[in-house]
């Protein structure tokens, strides 16, 4: 391997990694918000909105991100909606991630046993107090592992952004292979870059998961089991 | 004449060509899934063996495959193999290798979970009846794991189908590529072709994946009790 070559092109990778992370952060944040809103709509069973949310979730979960991006980037401009590659990437990630986050929230909410609400009511809590102080904390606790898995999944999905002309890690690697034919170096740095990004996140994720595992009591699986 | 862009779909064999394109990725997904199920069973059995070295290696394999984006794996095989093994493998072959490699890891982990969840007395009773290891697995354990494995395996198949959309990025001529050809060919007659073609590809993926995700949910509910 050509160390000098790798050193010379390290800044390119760092730049690309920063770009990837920035877009991932924005996309994941939006996905999280989308997930929160849609899951609350589903939880409260608001008519009409709930059907729309359901349709959105099915559409987003059953189509690949790459195709969603192609539609946003190449298809929508024909309707007069021209988006930069960066906003396409963020919107695409939010569209895909929103449904995954929504499912994570929902499974958390579903996991809080009915008896918790009933106990809260008998203690004189109002509905909104029950939601804020009893249901939500427990739901979050059980959804956190799913959130973490989704975050890692979404960061991995960012690897397709080069398809909409975004100079991300894959783009840089492919460029270096194309221009210099330094396949080994380019691929080695590509893998290292992803490991540098993803390994710490997955370590932090498993740490956080252990920290928030407090909602064991009244868990549906232990009550009905 | 400025007409509706959707007409581009029905010119000549365009619509059929798109489906043929999708079939290319589906074929990769189905072949890789078939191989993954076979190898996944072997890996799953291997992972339950009480041996430190075997455990370490299988764990490392699983984590590596999980943490790297599939597109990175595709690049590694597609560009790496060409350079080192002097093999000029087609994008399709590279895709089948990568998706089998990935699917085997995922499937192996599912099988491992199912094997561990099978009560110990099943193994012991089989042993008591004079069955050897292979007979125990073949006649007693594996038939019982099918129920548990079917829903997540179908789910893995949908993920596989969605992920195989990436192969366009390593030069396989599939649905997106065919779509691009159609768009380029009708650039002047139908300027809005991109919107319709990518929209239709989006819907096509949905049509293929949706039944499988429903099936997975249905199986999960059916086998719950």
């Amino acid at each position: 391997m050509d160390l000098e070559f790798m050193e010379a092109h390290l800044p390119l990778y760092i730049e690309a990694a920063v770009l990837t992370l920035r877009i991932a952060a924005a996309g994941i944040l939006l996905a999280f918000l989308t997930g929160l809103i849609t899951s609350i709509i589903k939880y409260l069973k608001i008519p009409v909105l709930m059907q729309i949310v359901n349709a959105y979730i099915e559409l987003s979960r059953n189509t690949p991100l790459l195709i969603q991006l192609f539609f946003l980037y190449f298809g929508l401009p024909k309707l007069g909606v021209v988006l930069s590659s960066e906003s396409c990437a963020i919107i695409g990630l939010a569209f895909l991630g929103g449904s995954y986050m929504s499912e994570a929230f929902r499974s958390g909410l579903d996991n809080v046993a009915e008896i918790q609400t009933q106990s809260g009511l008998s203690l004189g809590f109002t509905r909104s107090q029950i939601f804020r102080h009893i249901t939500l904390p427990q739901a979050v606790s059980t959804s956190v592992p799913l959130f973490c898995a989704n975050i890692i999944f979404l960061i991995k999905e960012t690897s397709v952004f080069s398809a909409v002309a975004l100079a991300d890690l894959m783009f840089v690697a492919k460029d270096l292979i194309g221009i210099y034919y330094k396949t080994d170096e380019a691929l080695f740095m590509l893998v290292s870059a992803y490991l540098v990004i993803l390994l710490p996140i997955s370590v932090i994720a498993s740490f956080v998961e252990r920290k928030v595992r407090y909602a064991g009591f009244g868990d549906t699986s232990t009550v009905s089991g | 004449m400025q007409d509706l862009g959707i007409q581009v779909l029905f010119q000549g064999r365009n619509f059929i060509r798109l489906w043929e394109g999708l079939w290319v990725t589906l074929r990769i997904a189905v072949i890789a899934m078939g191989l993954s199920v076979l190898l996944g069973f072997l890996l799953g059995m291997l992972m339950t063996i009480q041996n430190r070295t075997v455990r370490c290696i299988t764990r490392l394999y699983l984590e590596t495959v999980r943490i790297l984006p599939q597109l990175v794996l595709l690049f590694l095989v597609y560009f790496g193999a060409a350079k080192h093994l002097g093999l000029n493998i087609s994008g399709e072959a590279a895709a089948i290798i990568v998706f089998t490699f990935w699917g085997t890891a995922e499937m192996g982990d599912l099988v491992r979970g199912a094997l561990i969840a099978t009560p110990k007395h099943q193994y012991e009773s089989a042993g008591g009846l004079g069955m050897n290891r292979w007979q125990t697995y073949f006649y007693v354990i594996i038939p019982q794991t099918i129920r548990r494995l079917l829903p997540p395996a179908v789910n893995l198949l949908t993920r596989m189908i969605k992920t195989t959309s990436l192969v366009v990025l390593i030069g396989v001529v599939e649905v997106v590529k065919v779509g691009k050809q159609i768009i380029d060919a009708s650039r002047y007659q139908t300027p809005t072709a991109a919107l319709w073609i990518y929209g239709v590809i989006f819907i096509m993926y949905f049509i293929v994946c949706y039944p499988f995700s429903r099936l997975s949910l249905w199986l999960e509910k059916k086998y719950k009790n």
Side-chain angles (χ1 to χ4, degrees), chain A residues 3-87:
Chain A
L3 279 176
E4 248 168 66
F5 176 84
M6 282 162 61
E7 211 183 316
H9 292 87
L10 190 61
L12 278 180
Y13 276 90
I14 293 175
E15 208 177 305
V18 170
L19 179 75
T20 303
L21 277 176
R22 205 179 64 221
I23 289 175
I28 289 169
L29 197 70
L30 277 179
F32 199 76
L33 284 177
T34 315
L36 187 68
I37 295 167
T38 50
S39 63
I40 288 175
I41 288 173
K42 279 185 89 170
Y43 185 71
L44 298 176
K45 300 199 171 61
I46 302 171
V48 187
L49 280 183
M50 197 171 105
Q51 275 76 24
I52 296 173
V53 165
N54 280 335
Y56 154 68
I57 289 176
E58 294 300 343
L59 261 185
S60 126
R61 283 184 74 98
N62 289 303
T63 47
L65 178 61
L66 186 64
I67 308 297
Q68 298 168 3
L69 286 176
F70 273 124
F71 182 73
L72 285 174
Y73 192 68
F74 298 109
L76 281 188
K78 307 292 170 197
L79 278 181
V81 186
V82 183
L83 298 165
S84 70
S85 7
E86 240 176 80
S87 24

XYZ file of all heavy atoms in Angstrom, chain A residues 3-87:
666
model
N 1.498 4.543 1.319
C 1.133 5.377 2.469
C 1.081 6.856 2.121
O 0.227 7.588 2.614
C 2.113 5.155 3.624
C 1.845 3.910 4.455
C 2.910 3.726 5.506
C 0.467 3.970 5.096
N 1.998 7.256 1.273
C 2.039 8.666 0.899
C 0.747 9.090 0.203
O 0.191 10.144 0.465
C 3.212 8.921 -0.042
C 4.302 9.777 0.567
C 5.545 9.746 -0.294
O 5.463 10.266 -1.431
O 6.562 9.184 0.146
N 0.314 8.196 -0.676
C -0.931 8.450 -1.394
C -2.079 8.603 -0.409
O -2.915 9.506 -0.512
C -1.208 7.294 -2.361
C -2.515 7.416 -3.078
C -2.622 8.175 -4.237
C -3.649 6.772 -2.596
C -3.822 8.290 -4.901
C -4.859 6.887 -3.259
C -4.936 7.640 -4.411
N -2.090 7.695 0.567
C -3.183 7.729 1.542
C -3.150 9.011 2.356
O -4.183 9.621 2.627
C -3.104 6.506 2.464
C -3.645 5.278 1.769
S -3.169 3.725 2.498
C -3.847 3.828 4.088
N -1.934 9.404 2.735
C -1.812 10.619 3.528
C -2.276 11.829 2.720
O -2.985 12.696 3.223
C -0.364 10.788 3.951
C -0.229 11.480 5.288
C 1.240 11.700 5.621
O 2.045 10.770 5.416
O 1.567 12.806 6.052
N -1.882 11.836 1.456
C -2.213 12.971 0.614
C -3.722 13.114 0.414
O -4.235 14.220 0.279
C -1.519 12.835 -0.739
N -4.407 11.975 0.403
C -5.834 12.060 0.120
C -6.728 11.946 1.349
O -7.940 11.905 1.233
C -6.224 11.006 -0.920
C -5.641 11.318 -2.258
N -4.389 10.906 -2.623
C -6.113 12.047 -3.288
C -4.125 11.353 -3.829
N -5.145 12.049 -4.264
N -6.069 11.902 2.513
C -6.843 11.829 3.750
C -7.824 12.997 3.902
O -8.980 12.785 4.277
C -5.896 11.746 4.958
C -6.549 11.420 6.291
C -7.230 10.058 6.228
C -5.518 11.435 7.411
N -7.389 14.228 3.598
C -8.327 15.366 3.754
C -9.623 15.186 2.968
O -10.693 15.554 3.445
C -7.528 16.556 3.210
C -6.117 16.170 3.381
C -6.049 14.693 3.193
N -9.510 14.571 1.781
C -10.714 14.320 0.976
C -11.700 13.456 1.747
O -12.903 13.702 1.762
C -10.334 13.595 -0.314
C -9.808 14.422 -1.471
C -9.482 13.521 -2.642
C -10.865 15.442 -1.869
N -11.161 12.405 2.372
C -12.017 11.494 3.126
C -12.628 12.183 4.335
O -13.792 11.975 4.659
C -11.219 10.268 3.580
C -11.149 9.205 2.515
C -10.114 9.193 1.595
C -12.126 8.220 2.426
C -10.051 8.231 0.606
C -12.068 7.255 1.451
C -11.034 7.261 0.542
O -10.990 6.312 -0.441
N -11.797 12.998 4.998
C -12.312 13.676 6.200
C -13.460 14.610 5.811
O -14.515 14.613 6.440
C -11.175 14.448 6.916
C -10.171 13.430 7.482
C -11.733 15.310 8.035
C -8.953 14.042 8.105
N -13.221 15.346 4.726
C -14.254 16.257 4.245
C -15.545 15.485 3.943
O -16.635 15.880 4.339
C -13.740 16.914 2.967
C -14.291 18.276 2.688
C -13.644 18.846 1.435
O -12.396 18.904 1.381
O -14.382 19.181 0.507
N -15.372 14.357 3.236
C -16.536 13.547 2.862
C -17.229 12.987 4.098
O -18.463 12.967 4.175
C -16.106 12.418 1.946
N -16.428 12.569 5.077
C -17.011 12.001 6.291
C -17.800 13.055 7.041
O -18.896 12.790 7.554
C -15.916 11.425 7.184
N -17.256 14.272 7.079
C -17.955 15.358 7.769
C -19.282 15.651 7.072
O -20.321 15.801 7.711
C -17.068 16.628 7.834
C -17.877 17.824 8.313
C -15.891 16.393 8.762
N -19.218 15.669 5.738
C -20.442 15.909 4.971
C -21.478 14.822 5.260
O -22.650 15.111 5.535
C -20.103 15.932 3.476
C -21.292 16.139 2.536
C -21.735 17.588 2.580
C -20.936 15.749 1.117
N -21.020 13.559 5.216
C -21.915 12.436 5.495
C -22.552 12.597 6.866
O -23.767 12.446 7.027
C -21.133 11.106 5.449
O -20.515 10.995 4.173
C -22.041 9.930 5.680
N -21.714 12.912 7.854
C -22.220 13.021 9.225
C -23.198 14.175 9.372
O -24.202 14.057 10.073
C -21.064 13.204 10.201
C -20.386 11.907 10.611
C -19.199 12.190 11.510
C -21.389 10.999 11.338
N -22.890 15.294 8.699
C -23.763 16.450 8.816
C -25.146 16.128 8.255
O -26.170 16.403 8.871
C -23.139 17.630 8.067
C -23.603 18.958 8.611
C -22.958 20.117 7.893
N -23.340 20.136 6.505
C -22.500 20.408 5.508
N -21.237 20.648 5.752
N -22.919 20.410 4.268
N -25.141 15.492 7.065
C -26.416 15.160 6.452
C -27.143 14.095 7.265
O -28.354 14.175 7.464
C -26.184 14.720 5.002
C -25.800 15.960 4.214
C -27.417 14.059 4.421
C -25.425 15.692 2.820
N -26.377 13.141 7.757
C -26.989 12.091 8.576
C -27.644 12.717 9.804
O -28.773 12.372 10.159
C -25.949 11.055 8.981
N -26.938 13.655 10.446
C -27.478 14.276 11.654
C -28.781 15.005 11.351
O -29.792 14.824 12.039
C -26.457 15.239 12.251
N -28.768 15.811 10.282
C -29.976 16.553 9.923
C -31.105 15.593 9.564
O -32.242 15.750 10.024
C -29.686 17.485 8.752
N -30.784 14.578 8.749
C -31.800 13.617 8.314
C -32.377 12.843 9.478
O -33.590 12.639 9.570
N -31.500 12.418 10.390
C -31.968 11.613 11.517
C -32.840 12.452 12.448
O -33.866 11.991 12.946
C -30.779 10.969 12.263
C -30.171 9.878 11.381
C -31.214 10.383 13.593
C -28.853 9.352 11.857
N -32.443 13.707 12.646
C -33.241 14.593 13.488
C -34.650 14.761 12.908
O -35.655 14.631 13.615
C -32.550 15.962 13.593
C -33.033 16.832 14.747
C -32.573 16.255 16.062
C -32.530 18.254 14.585
N -34.704 15.013 11.603
C -36.005 15.156 10.942
C -36.794 13.849 11.004
O -38.000 13.846 11.225
C -35.822 15.565 9.482
C -35.621 17.051 9.209
C -35.422 17.283 7.733
C -36.845 17.821 9.696
N -36.091 12.738 10.814
C -36.738 11.430 10.871
C -37.348 11.216 12.254
O -38.460 10.720 12.402
C -35.739 10.327 10.562
N -36.593 11.624 13.261
C -37.033 11.475 14.638
C -38.321 12.274 14.878
O -39.293 11.766 15.436
C -35.910 11.986 15.542
C -35.998 11.504 16.941
C -35.636 10.207 17.262
C -36.447 12.352 17.939
C -35.720 9.764 18.561
C -36.536 11.909 19.241
C -36.166 10.612 19.560
N -38.316 13.518 14.396
C -39.505 14.365 14.536
C -40.696 13.752 13.796
O -41.801 13.669 14.342
C -39.231 15.764 13.989
C -38.373 16.662 14.876
C -38.111 17.996 14.199
C -39.085 16.884 16.210
N -40.439 13.326 12.537
C -41.503 12.706 11.752
C -42.055 11.498 12.508
O -43.261 11.294 12.600
C -40.959 12.220 10.392
O -40.146 13.241 9.851
C -42.067 11.879 9.439
N -41.130 10.698 13.041
C -41.539 9.497 13.774
C -42.381 9.846 14.985
O -43.408 9.216 15.256
N -41.968 10.881 15.705
C -42.688 11.286 16.919
C -44.108 11.717 16.567
O -45.088 11.253 17.148
C -41.924 12.430 17.591
C -42.441 12.868 18.953
C -42.198 11.755 19.961
C -41.756 14.134 19.410
N -44.199 12.595 15.563
C -45.511 13.130 15.186
C -46.423 12.009 14.671
O -47.558 11.856 15.118
C -45.363 14.241 14.116
C -44.616 15.427 14.724
C -46.729 14.680 13.598
C -44.128 16.432 13.715
N -45.882 11.187 13.757
C -46.730 10.142 13.179
C -47.152 9.124 14.237
O -48.282 8.646 14.214
C -46.020 9.419 12.029
O -44.721 9.021 12.457
C -45.898 10.288 10.809
N -46.250 8.818 15.166
C -46.639 7.802 16.148
C -47.673 8.348 17.116
O -48.540 7.612 17.585
C -45.419 7.270 16.891
O -44.820 8.299 17.610
N -47.601 9.649 17.411
C -48.621 10.235 18.281
C -49.977 10.234 17.563
O -51.012 9.912 18.158
C -48.209 11.652 18.739
C -47.067 11.524 19.762
C -49.390 12.378 19.378
C -46.481 12.824 20.219
N -49.952 10.542 16.254
C -51.196 10.495 15.481
C -51.791 9.084 15.535
O -52.986 8.893 15.741
C -50.944 10.916 14.014
C -50.674 12.424 13.968
C -52.135 10.561 13.127
C -50.251 12.926 12.615
N -50.922 8.090 15.405
C -51.418 6.716 15.445
C -51.905 6.333 16.844
O -52.875 5.618 17.006
C -50.314 5.743 15.010
C -50.178 5.645 13.513
C -49.181 4.596 13.109
C -49.837 3.237 12.960
N -48.906 2.281 12.334
N -51.201 6.841 17.848
C -51.537 6.505 19.228
C -52.886 7.099 19.608
O -53.711 6.447 20.253
C -50.445 7.040 20.157
C -50.605 6.666 21.605
C -50.392 5.357 22.034
C -50.945 7.627 22.560
C -50.522 5.010 23.362
C -51.072 7.291 23.894
C -50.864 5.980 24.291
O -50.985 5.636 25.610
N -53.121 8.333 19.175
C -54.380 9.006 19.495
C -55.489 8.629 18.515
O -56.630 9.044 18.676
C -54.184 10.525 19.491
C -53.183 11.063 20.519
C -53.009 12.561 20.361
C -53.630 10.739 21.939
N -55.126 7.831 17.485
C -56.092 7.361 16.480
C -56.912 8.506 15.885
O -58.141 8.464 15.853
C -57.033 6.313 17.084
C -56.295 5.086 17.598
C -57.242 3.912 17.748
C -56.497 2.627 18.057
N -55.740 2.669 19.325
N -56.235 9.555 15.432
C -56.911 10.687 14.798
C -57.377 10.255 13.408
O -56.555 9.837 12.591
C -55.963 11.900 14.668
C -55.454 12.300 16.045
C -56.662 13.081 13.977
C -54.361 13.346 16.028
N -58.675 10.338 13.121
C -59.157 9.865 11.819
C -58.553 10.676 10.670
O -58.089 11.794 10.879
C -60.677 10.059 11.899
C -60.893 10.995 13.027
C -59.760 10.828 13.969
N -58.578 10.093 9.488
C -58.007 10.659 8.252
C -56.480 10.767 8.340
O -55.764 10.135 7.566
C -58.608 12.036 7.853
C -58.086 12.447 6.494
C -60.123 11.951 7.835
N -56.002 11.561 9.318
C -54.550 11.682 9.472
C -53.915 10.316 9.682
O -52.838 10.026 9.171
C -54.215 12.581 10.666
C -54.295 14.079 10.449
C -53.867 14.823 11.711
C -53.403 14.495 9.286
N -54.620 9.460 10.423
C -54.058 8.149 10.708
C -53.917 7.322 9.426
O -52.919 6.641 9.244
C -54.943 7.417 11.708
C -54.223 6.263 12.353
S -55.159 5.569 13.693
C -55.734 4.086 12.932
N -54.916 7.412 8.543
C -54.831 6.673 7.273
C -53.661 7.183 6.445
O -52.931 6.390 5.845
C -56.129 6.817 6.469
C -57.226 5.824 6.850
C -57.909 6.178 8.155
O -57.911 7.332 8.579
N -58.490 5.176 8.807
N -53.492 8.501 6.450
C -52.376 9.081 5.681
C -51.048 8.581 6.245
O -50.156 8.154 5.519
C -52.442 10.623 5.717
C -53.713 11.109 5.023
C -51.213 11.233 5.065
C -53.966 12.590 5.152
N -50.955 8.613 7.582
C -49.726 8.158 8.232
C -49.451 6.693 7.902
O -48.320 6.310 7.574
C -49.831 8.373 9.758
C -48.757 7.591 10.495
C -49.705 9.846 10.077
N -50.496 5.879 7.961
C -50.313 4.458 7.646
C -49.816 4.256 6.225
O -48.902 3.469 5.985
C -51.624 3.692 7.829
C -51.866 3.375 9.288
O -50.913 3.297 10.078
N -53.119 3.201 9.667
N -50.414 4.993 5.293
C -49.995 4.872 3.894
C -48.533 5.291 3.750
O -47.740 4.625 3.080
C -50.881 5.732 3.001
N -48.183 6.397 4.414
C -46.796 6.880 4.360
C -45.835 5.824 4.887
O -44.805 5.527 4.266
C -46.665 8.179 5.156
C -45.278 8.428 5.692
C -44.231 8.698 4.817
C -45.002 8.343 7.047
C -42.950 8.898 5.298
C -43.730 8.536 7.534
C -42.702 8.811 6.654
O -41.432 8.990 7.135
N -46.196 5.225 6.035
C -45.288 4.244 6.644
C -45.074 3.052 5.719
O -43.944 2.617 5.494
C -45.819 3.807 8.031
C -45.650 4.961 9.016
C -45.082 2.572 8.533
C -46.204 4.710 10.385
N -46.173 2.565 5.123
C -46.031 1.415 4.230
C -45.196 1.770 3.002
O -44.334 1.009 2.578
C -47.405 0.897 3.776
C -48.248 0.304 4.900
C -47.592 -0.890 5.578
O -46.656 -1.480 5.010
O -48.001 -1.227 6.698
N -45.452 2.956 2.440
C -44.703 3.379 1.254
C -43.212 3.497 1.559
O -42.369 3.041 0.793
C -45.194 4.747 0.776
C -46.173 4.780 -0.382
C -46.432 6.229 -0.755
C -45.631 4.031 -1.591
N -42.918 4.107 2.683
C -41.517 4.374 2.973
C -40.777 3.109 3.390
O -39.603 2.946 3.096
C -41.421 5.470 4.020
O -40.654 5.091 5.098
N -41.485 2.187 4.038
C -40.792 0.970 4.482
C -40.607 -0.044 3.371
O -39.775 -0.936 3.481
C -41.561 0.314 5.630
C -41.382 1.000 6.942
C -42.094 0.236 8.018
N -41.396 -0.968 8.378
C -40.592 -1.073 9.425
N -40.385 -0.051 10.197
N -40.001 -2.207 9.702
N -41.416 0.061 2.328
C -41.357 -0.965 1.288
C -40.699 -0.498 -0.003
O -40.896 -1.094 -1.052
C -42.753 -1.502 1.001
C -43.249 -2.352 2.150
O -42.604 -3.321 2.524
N -44.356 -1.979 2.738
N -39.951 0.607 0.073
C -39.223 1.038 -1.116
C -37.795 1.361 -0.696
O -37.562 1.797 0.427
C -39.868 2.284 -1.739
O -40.130 3.217 -0.695
C -41.148 1.961 -2.450
N -36.839 1.139 -1.607
C -35.442 1.408 -1.258
C -35.146 2.906 -1.254
O -35.740 3.664 -2.036
C -34.652 0.732 -2.383
C -35.633 0.016 -3.232
C -36.972 0.554 -2.944
N -34.236 3.311 -0.384
C -33.835 4.719 -0.296
C -33.310 5.223 -1.635
O -33.602 6.347 -2.048
C -32.755 4.882 0.781
C -32.190 6.294 0.951
C -33.264 7.280 1.351
C -31.073 6.323 1.961
N -32.556 4.369 -2.329
C -31.967 4.784 -3.599
C -33.038 5.243 -4.577
O -32.899 6.268 -5.252
C -31.178 3.615 -4.193
C -30.381 3.910 -5.445
C -29.299 4.925 -5.171
C -29.774 2.638 -6.005
N -34.145 4.494 -4.632
C -35.218 4.823 -5.567
C -35.929 6.097 -5.113
O -36.295 6.949 -5.929
C -36.214 3.647 -5.680
C -35.479 2.333 -5.998
C -37.288 3.913 -6.713
C -34.766 2.322 -7.315
N -36.099 6.240 -3.801
C -36.694 7.474 -3.277
C -35.852 8.679 -3.680
O -36.363 9.718 -4.092
C -36.807 7.399 -1.753
C -37.720 6.274 -1.274
C -37.585 6.034 0.223
O -36.868 6.729 0.921
N -38.287 5.023 0.720
N -34.534 8.515 -3.571
C -33.634 9.609 -3.924
C -33.705 9.944 -5.410
O -33.742 11.113 -5.792
C -32.190 9.245 -3.567
C -31.824 9.275 -2.099
C -30.393 8.808 -1.911
C -31.975 10.669 -1.532
N -33.724 8.898 -6.252
C -33.816 9.131 -7.688
C -35.071 9.921 -8.022
O -35.053 10.840 -8.831
C -33.822 7.804 -8.463
C -32.450 7.303 -8.773
C -32.053 6.040 -8.380
C -31.552 8.087 -9.467
C -30.780 5.578 -8.663
C -30.281 7.631 -9.762
C -29.891 6.364 -9.352
N -36.165 9.545 -7.380
C -37.421 10.233 -7.631
C -37.307 11.699 -7.219
O -37.693 12.604 -7.960
C -38.567 9.540 -6.890
C -39.897 10.164 -7.148
C -40.528 9.987 -8.361
C -40.518 10.939 -6.185
C -41.758 10.564 -8.620
C -41.747 11.530 -6.433
C -42.362 11.339 -7.650
N -36.745 11.934 -6.028
C -36.614 13.312 -5.532
C -35.692 14.135 -6.419
O -35.963 15.297 -6.718
C -36.036 13.304 -4.108
C -36.942 12.901 -2.967
C -36.141 12.812 -1.692
C -38.053 13.913 -2.808
N -34.578 13.508 -6.816
C -33.529 14.276 -7.477
C -33.771 14.444 -8.972
O -33.533 15.504 -9.524
C -32.183 13.599 -7.234
C -31.003 14.440 -7.620
C -30.706 15.599 -6.905
C -30.180 14.087 -8.677
C -29.617 16.380 -7.250
C -29.086 14.868 -9.029
C -28.810 16.016 -8.309
O -27.736 16.780 -8.654
N -34.218 13.364 -9.623
C -34.403 13.442 -11.076
C -35.861 13.613 -11.484
O -36.146 14.168 -12.541
C -33.850 12.186 -11.756
C -32.383 11.992 -11.548
C -31.920 10.973 -10.732
C -31.470 12.833 -12.152
C -30.559 10.796 -10.536
C -30.105 12.660 -11.962
C -29.648 11.639 -11.148
N -36.775 13.108 -10.658
C -38.182 13.146 -11.026
C -38.856 14.472 -10.702
O -39.467 15.096 -11.563
N -38.699 14.924 -9.461
C -39.414 16.124 -9.017
C -39.099 17.400 -9.801
O -39.995 18.226 -9.998
C -39.197 16.360 -7.523
C -40.034 15.488 -6.589
C -39.872 15.945 -5.146
C -41.507 15.502 -6.969
N -37.855 17.604 -10.267
C -37.591 18.838 -11.030
C -38.541 19.011 -12.211
O -38.828 20.127 -12.622
C -36.153 18.652 -11.514
C -35.540 17.797 -10.486
C -36.621 16.854 -10.043
N -39.054 17.894 -12.746
C -39.987 17.983 -13.877
C -41.312 18.602 -13.447
O -42.093 19.054 -14.263
C -40.256 16.596 -14.467
C -39.011 15.846 -14.834
C -38.288 16.495 -16.007
C -36.926 15.870 -16.200
N -36.049 16.700 -17.020
N -41.569 18.590 -12.145
C -42.778 19.247 -11.630
C -42.460 20.670 -11.199
O -43.290 21.361 -10.631
C -43.311 18.481 -10.413
C -44.166 17.243 -10.672
C -44.622 16.649 -9.354
C -45.376 17.605 -11.524
N -41.217 21.075 -11.422
C -40.819 22.406 -11.015
C -40.210 22.475 -9.625
O -39.844 23.545 -9.165
N -40.099 21.322 -8.963
C -39.500 21.310 -7.627
C -38.032 20.921 -7.765
O -37.707 19.755 -7.940
C -40.198 20.303 -6.701
C -39.663 20.412 -5.287
C -41.694 20.506 -6.725
N -37.144 21.891 -7.750
C -35.727 21.576 -7.911
C -35.047 21.603 -6.547
O -35.060 22.615 -5.852
C -35.041 22.559 -8.868
C -33.582 22.170 -9.075
C -35.769 22.588 -10.193
N -34.477 20.481 -6.161
C -33.811 20.388 -4.863
C -32.325 20.155 -5.077
O -31.928 19.454 -6.003
C -34.390 19.217 -4.067
C -35.875 19.274 -3.717
C -36.358 17.920 -3.278
C -36.110 20.299 -2.633
N -31.514 20.739 -4.215
C -30.075 20.476 -4.301
C -29.823 19.043 -3.834
O -30.664 18.440 -3.176
C -29.327 21.434 -3.388
O -29.584 21.112 -2.050
N -28.644 18.495 -4.180
C -28.404 17.110 -3.760
C -28.432 16.983 -2.247
O -28.869 15.980 -1.711
C -27.093 16.553 -4.292
O -26.320 17.479 -4.937
N -27.957 18.028 -1.576
C -27.944 17.945 -0.124
C -29.347 17.885 0.462
O -29.628 17.048 1.320
C -27.199 19.145 0.457
C -26.002 18.734 1.265
C -25.215 19.923 1.758
O -25.639 20.501 2.762
O -24.183 20.262 1.146
N -30.228 18.759 -0.028
C -31.586 18.707 0.544
C -32.286 17.417 0.142
O -33.066 16.869 0.917
C -32.421 19.931 0.176
O -31.985 20.535 -0.976
